[in-house]
Amino acid sequence: MKKLLLLLLALLTVGFLAACTANEDAGQEEPAEGAESEGAEETEGAEEGGEKVLRLNNGVEPTSLDPSIGFDAVSWDPLNNLMEGLTRLDQESVAGPGAAEDWDISEDGLTYTFHIREDANWSNGDPVVAEDFVYAWKYMLDPETASAAAFLGYFIKGGEAFNLGEGSADDVGVSAIDEKTLEVVLEAPTGFFLDVLTNPAFFPVNHAVAEENPEWFAEAESFVSNGPFTLESWEHEQEMVFAKNPEYWDADTVKLDKVHWAMVNDTNTQYQMFETGDLDTASIPPELSDDLIDGDNVYIGDYGGLEFFRFNTTMEPFQNKKIRQAFAYAVNKQDIADYVVKNGVEPAYGFVSPGFTTPTGEDFREVNGELVPYDAESAKQLLEEGMAEEGYDELPPVVLSYNTSDTNKAVAETIQSMLSENLGVDVTLENQEWNVFAEAQQNLELQFSRSSFINDYSDPVNFLESFITDSYMNRTGWSNAEYDDLIAKGKSETDDEKRYEYLYEAEKLLAEEMPAMPIRYYNTVVLEADGVEGILRHPVGYFDLKYADKN
């Protein structure tokens, strides 16, 4: 342990740690740190000409502004301010009216009828119509689209069959009753469906524009939006500029004239930009956390998500459950939270993050307890037993992969040291740029790799469903029929208390099988300049500038 503490001190001294504000792909993997699309205009509030301009940092280029493809936080944050679905999270983080002014739900909970606002328009003046949602959702579910978000459409009748090539688009339960009325039929009653619809994957697409130009989303000149802002300009890999959308049905609520989004993938650089007024919000570099965290200009809030590491169960030695457990138990998550990531993050001893209220009014995390403890002695015993089961005299070489960022490097080096000290295992580290890393992980080419998950909607089943057989988010090669059954029941059971019992069992089974090991839960820690107000940062949901202001 002395060696580990010396390493931690060295990490902090050289100051190469970076704040990790959650951003990940689909369920969502984190492409870069500092990508919590935030920042604001200079401290005077308005720039030349009297415009209110908010200066933000998106960290990196959005993966895509096609709602079906940009399934990660660096795409979601811009999309949620350019576009709007049928529902939108309100100032209390509850799914309320968006493009739909109201809706009716059948007695059996299967049929939703949405009434789209008469004054809901696209930025080019076209009306937002029911067919725009039919087009967008069937495009998302079309197997040819290969959308990472398609699994969210499985709540809709016929959605899964169509996406798996076992059904047709005509069988998907979404239809335009008339120009402004959309009917959606579900596979099973889903009490959180209105919350699911706030995800950008369910945003509409102007079907007339998309049919004429399938690449409508790729450039500012062709982009059409139906949300609070329009895409005025887009200098790829460098900056986006949003302008207030006069066609938005609630334009009177929008106070900002423009939003500038930088793309700076370095925590210390974006902090310096905040200090000079080039950004008005920034994440805190961990080495400055002790000095800055208690300041008056710091926003701290919950953020539903988890940093974790995946084991590839198709590669040695992680086909063995006890070896996976040994690695997980050998990592001191509290030390990683306190000394490496810092900024008030909490260590993760389970997979579902805190903040999900059970039917009995308790927190899911507290009810299901600590499932993945730090226990170095048990870890050693499990490693010995696992190696004996596999006939190993020595462990096959292990490579830990992570996507490039200072924080990810610091966490990986700390885990490397802990595994060496607690298990006597030498782990080799490799880093890859995000796009290369994400593809390799998806293709099961990485042996032991970093991941993170940002909730797509506000229910604990959302993370747990990532590990069902053949899920896009599984990325471990692990498959368990009992687990698949528990998740299916955890999504369809109408008795909420019984539904949560299935979810408790599923999380315990996931911890027993350990295809992945949790590290820490996310939070939101943001420096905010004087005069910035009204930015919505939902615990589970999408960064929202509709109510933002700069005085």
Side-chain angles (χ1 to χ4, degrees):
M1 182 56 69
K2 181 183 290 184
K3 186 170 85 175
L4 171 62
L5 291 176
L6 286 173
L7 170 67
L8 293 173
L9 273 173
L11 290 174
L12 294 173
T13 301
V14 299
F16 65 82
L17 307 184
C20 202
T21 53
N23 286 317
E24 267 222 19
D25 166 31
Q28 291 57 234
E29 289 290 347
E30 179 169 353
E33 92 248 8
E36 177 167 323
S37 313
E38 305 191 353
E41 186 220 352
E42 302 158 358
T43 54
E44 292 84 6
E47 298 197 347
E48 282 187 39
E51 289 187 326
K52 290 189 175 184
V53 181
L54 199 63
R55 296 195 177 275
L56 312 175
N57 179 33
N58 201 54
V60 295
E61 173 90 350
T63 304
S64 176
L65 293 184
D66 176 348
S68 291
I69 302 301
F71 197 57
D72 50 46
V74 293
S75 304
W76 281 347
D77 286 348
L79 275 170
N80 195 54
N81 293 287
L82 291 167
M83 309 283 276
E84 182 169 87
L86 294 165
T87 58
R88 190 179 190 92
L89 294 179
D90 63 20
Q91 288 161 295
E92 282 70 50
S93 299
V94 174
E101 59 185 350
D102 56 32
W103 47 83
D104 304 306
I105 306 173
S106 62
E107 286 189 17
D108 61 7
L110 292 176
T111 303
Y112 286 66
T113 304
F114 293 94
H115 307 287
I116 300 170
R117 298 175 186 277
E118 289 298 325
D119 56 350
N121 293 322
W122 292 97
S123 54
N124 66 353
D126 292 347
V128 176
V129 296
E131 188 59 35
D132 294 332
F133 289 93
V134 175
Y135 178 92
W137 296 6
K138 289 186 178 181
Y139 170 79
M140 172 182 68
L141 287 164
D142 191 328
E144 294 296 318
T145 303
S147 169
F151 73 97
L152 292 176
Y154 292 3
F155 292 107
I156 301 169
K157 186 175 179 63
E160 182 173 12
F162 176 43
N163 183 245
L164 297 179
E166 300 167 359
S168 73
D170 293 339
D171 297 327
V172 176
V174 54
S175 56
I177 302 303
D178 58 40
E179 189 174 74
K180 290 285 188 176
T181 307
L182 182 76
E183 182 180 271
V184 184
V185 181
L186 305 185
E187 288 281 5
T190 306
F192 49 87
F193 185 61
L194 294 175
D195 194 277
V196 173
L197 292 182
T198 66
N199 188 287
F202 289 96
F203 288 170
V205 169
N206 186 317
H207 69 284
V209 169
E211 286 166 353
E212 182 177 339
N213 176 15
E215 296 295 311
W216 65 273
F217 52 83
E219 301 293 342
E221 292 75 16
S222 54
F223 194 91
V224 288
S225 61
N226 75 316
F229 298 92
T230 63
L231 182 56
E232 182 175 273
S233 65
W234 186 358
E235 190 173 354
H236 292 282
E237 307 291 346
Q238 295 188 48
E239 183 185 59
M240 295 179 293
V241 178
F242 291 3
K244 180 176 176 176
N245 182 6
E247 293 288 344
Y248 180 53
W249 67 269
D250 200 17
D252 288 346
T253 297
V254 180
K255 301 177 180 67
L256 298 174
D257 295 298
K258 290 187 179 181
V259 183
H260 285 240
W261 302 77
M263 300 176 192
V264 178
N265 186 21
D266 181 83
T267 305
N268 289 300
T269 300
Q270 55 89 43
Y271 172 70
Q272 290 302 319
M273 292 174 69
F274 173 80
E275 286 287 277
T276 60
D278 293 317
L279 292 175
D280 261 347
T281 74
S283 52
I284 299 176
E287 65 269 23
L288 299 178
S289 177
D290 292 342
D291 296 328
L292 301 177
I293 195 78
D294 295 323
D296 293 336
N297 63 339
V298 177
Y299 170 89
I300 301 176
D302 294 329
Y303 197 76
L306 175 77
E307 180 177 21
F308 64 103
F309 282 73
R310 300 178 195 268
F311 299 109
N312 187 340
T313 64
T314 70
M315 286 188 180
E316 292 190 287
F318 297 124
Q319 78 280 8
N320 186 279
K321 178 175 73 174
K322 288 182 178 178
I323 293 175
R324 299 194 299 267
Q325 290 174 333
F327 272 58
Y329 292 171
V331 174
N332 188 328
K333 306 166 193 68
Q334 186 73 58
D335 279 356
I336 291 175
D338 289 347
Y339 302 117
V340 181
V341 182
K342 305 185 77 174
N343 283 338
V345 302
E346 293 293 330
Y349 301 109
F351 296 95
V352 174
S353 59
F356 293 101
T357 303
T358 72
T360 56
E362 301 165 278
D363 189 279
F364 183 102
R365 182 70 278 128
E366 292 183 5
V367 172
N368 227 26
E370 295 187 357
L371 303 179
V372 188
Y374 168 56
D375 188 338
E377 291 306 312
S378 293
K380 291 174 186 174
Q381 181 65 33
L382 285 163
L383 182 63
E384 290 177 10
E385 293 174 5
M387 290 179 65
E389 289 175 358
E390 300 298 330
Y392 292 147
D393 291 325
E394 59 182 54
L395 204 66
V398 174
V399 177
L400 187 161
S401 305
Y402 61 93
N403 56 297
T404 304
S405 92
D406 287 347
T407 299
N408 296 349
K409 179 181 179 183
V411 171
E413 289 183 339
T414 304
I415 290 174
Q416 179 189 45
S417 178
M418 290 174 172
L419 294 174
S420 175
E421 182 161 337
N422 293 328
L423 294 180
V425 173
D426 293 326
V427 172
T428 301
L429 303 184
E430 71 169 9
N431 73 289
Q432 297 178 346
E433 293 306 312
W434 169 247
N435 290 333
V436 175
F437 175 84
E439 182 176 359
Q441 188 181 72
Q442 182 61 39
N443 293 335
L444 295 183
E445 296 169 1
L446 305 182
Q447 182 186 22
F448 178 32
S449 59
R450 180 198 177 271
S451 288
S452 68
F453 183 92
I454 307 304
N455 284 81
D456 306 308
Y457 55 89
S458 189
D459 192 90
V461 74
N462 184 209
F463 177 86
L464 298 174
E465 69 180 339
S466 297
F467 291 91
I468 62 173
T469 303
D470 295 330
S471 167
Y472 166 85
M473 280 297 295
N474 190 315
R475 306 177 193 177
T476 65
W478 179 72
S479 176
N480 185 289
E482 180 185 358
Y483 186 82
D484 293 349
D485 183 59
L486 287 169
I487 296 303
K489 291 175 178 175
K491 295 174 80 169
S492 62
E493 174 59 56
T494 56
D495 181 322
D496 224 21
E497 289 194 28
K498 187 178 292 184
R499 186 173 80 86
Y500 267 70
E501 289 298 328
Y502 291 133
L503 299 183
Y504 296 145
E505 289 183 50
E507 191 191 34
K508 289 174 181 175
L509 179 57
L510 190 66
E512 168 68 21
E513 290 289 317
M514 207 76 75
M517 68 176 191
I519 295 296
R520 52 100 176 188
Y521 302 117
Y522 282 119
N523 64 356
T524 298
V525 180
V526 182
L527 291 166
E528 195 170 80
D530 292 341
V532 175
E533 59 187 25
I535 295 174
L536 298 186
R537 304 177 180 91
H538 303 288
V540 176
Y542 313 101
F543 180 78
D544 197 336
L545 300 171
K546 176 177 176 176
Y547 304 96
D549 199 0
K550 175 63 182 177
N551 299 311

